[in-house]
Amino acid sequence: MAERPASAPAVPRHVAIVMDGNGRWAKKRHMPRFFGHKQGVDALVRTVHACADRGIEYLTVFAFSSENWKRPSEEVSSLMGLVLVAVSKYLAKLAGDGVRVRIVGDRAQVSDKLRQAWQHAEDSTRHNTKIHLSVAFNYGGRWDIVQACRQAMVAGVKPEDLDEATLNSYMALSYAPDPDLFIRTGGEVRISNFLLWQAAYSELVFTECLWPEFGTEELDSALAQYARRERRFGAVPAAAELVASGS
Ligand code: FPP
């Protein structure tokens, strides 16, 4: 095997995942789509633990996009209900295992009940540091850029003072480094409005694996692909390490 280039640390600090393929997984089993989403929650919990075990510090997952409201209303409401069930079923264990949970996205459109559940998840894991799990819910990359611009304007940032670092401080994931590795399951090869700003230099890995089947083998395969990549951040190879280290 080729030696890992020095510009790609063996383990990414931040992994982002588009968890796609729940519906197809269920359809293959002649089950309703909801069943696939339910299994998808279990796959997510497994993945959080697997990432933490591998020293990944940040995991950000796309659970519900700004565009997912266009799905049939029964599927939308079942997804909302599933989140409430998932919070009550898994939160205590995640909290006990040192997972810090954050929700990123527009909370204005979700029900009070869901907003309270999110708040509870965030409050009860606030002091955890093992791994930061960010759940993107009612999130879109374009929404994120617009809301960051709005916040900057409200804060009175002058056009001449607006640079990338300043705008980034208003983005939904301002507390996290940019994702090093961006994984999409389910066979589609697109970004679908996830982390448009933050994924500018992410390494992309697409897999046919449907999300409910995602496990340690798939994760390790994506991590191995990442470790073989040479990250340049737009620079020539020798300079890339300096860019990556921020010096
Ligand atoms: C894409 O599969 C998946 C989603 C739109 C939902 C993902 C949500 C979860 C895994 C549950 C998250 C729950 C919590 C608690 C955060 P799809 O329905 O588009 O599948 P398809 O492409 O096969 O139709």
Side-chain angles (χ1 to χ4, degrees):
M1 199 176 79
E3 249 186 30
R4 180 175 58 81
S7 58
V11 178
R13 286 189 73 196
H14 185 173
V15 174
I17 308 184
V18 177
M19 308 180 288
D20 197 13
N22 295 344
R24 276 164 288 160
W25 184 87
K27 196 171 171 208
K28 269 169 62 180
R29 287 159 180 78
H30 310 288
M31 300 293 280
R33 294 175 60 81
F34 172 73
F35 187 64
H37 295 315
K38 195 161 165 288
Q39 296 298 313
V41 174
D42 293 346
L44 171 56
V45 174
R46 281 198 307 270
T47 303
V48 175
H49 288 115
C51 286
D53 289 347
R54 285 155 182 74
I56 292 160
E57 298 167 64
Y58 297 86
L59 173 65
T60 302
V61 294
F62 210 2
F64 191 86
S65 79
S66 316
E67 290 74 35
N68 284 156
W69 296 103
K70 295 176 200 153
R71 293 187 174 213
S73 61
E74 315 83 69
E75 185 173 347
V76 170
S77 50
S78 70
L79 270 167
M80 302 289 162
L82 186 60
V83 174
L84 293 172
V85 171
V87 169
S88 68
K89 187 171 170 194
Y90 290 113
L91 182 62
K93 169 95 174 97
L94 291 170
D97 288 343
V99 180
R100 178 163 187 178
V101 180
R102 283 181 169 106
I103 309 337
V104 293
D106 185 356
R107 297 186 197 206
Q109 274 171 288
V110 305
S111 69
D112 288 346
K113 220 169 165 187
L114 195 50
R115 252 195 308 276
Q116 282 160 14
W118 286 146
Q119 197 59 49
H120 173 55
E122 290 184 338
D123 291 345
S124 55
T125 61
R126 190 169 298 282
H127 301 295
N128 285 348
T129 54
K130 175 116 178 109
I131 184 166
H132 298 249
L133 169 65
S134 303
V135 178
F137 200 93
N138 196 19
Y139 174 90
R142 290 178 175 177
W143 165 83
D144 196 4
I145 294 168
V146 170
Q147 71 79 27
C149 292
R150 282 198 180 139
Q151 280 196 62
M153 289 162 96
V154 169
V157 176
K158 297 199 190 82
E160 60 272 26
D161 294 333
L162 188 69
D163 56 15
E164 291 181 15
T166 307
L167 189 58
N168 194 56
S169 71
Y170 294 101
M171 303 291 296
L173 284 177
S174 59
Y175 52 85
D178 285 346
D180 304 291
L181 172 61
F182 181 116
I183 302 171
R184 180 175 186 144
T185 62
E188 308 290 356
V189 186
R190 53 179 170 259
I191 291 174
S192 295
N193 199 19
F194 190 38
L195 305 179
L196 295 182
W197 169 270
Q198 298 86 345
Y201 284 102
S202 300
E203 296 297 329
L204 308 179
V205 170
F206 298 96
T207 166
E208 293 290 325
C209 171
L210 303 175
W211 176 249
E213 288 167 349
F214 193 86
T216 50
E217 206 176 306
E218 281 292 332
L219 176 65
D220 288 336
S221 158
L223 293 175
Q225 291 181 61
Y226 169 80
R228 289 194 295 270
R229 302 270 175 94
E230 185 180 23
R231 304 192 75 193
R232 295 196 195 146
F233 302 93
V236 291
E241 276 178 64
L242 296 176
V243 179
S245 66
S247 32

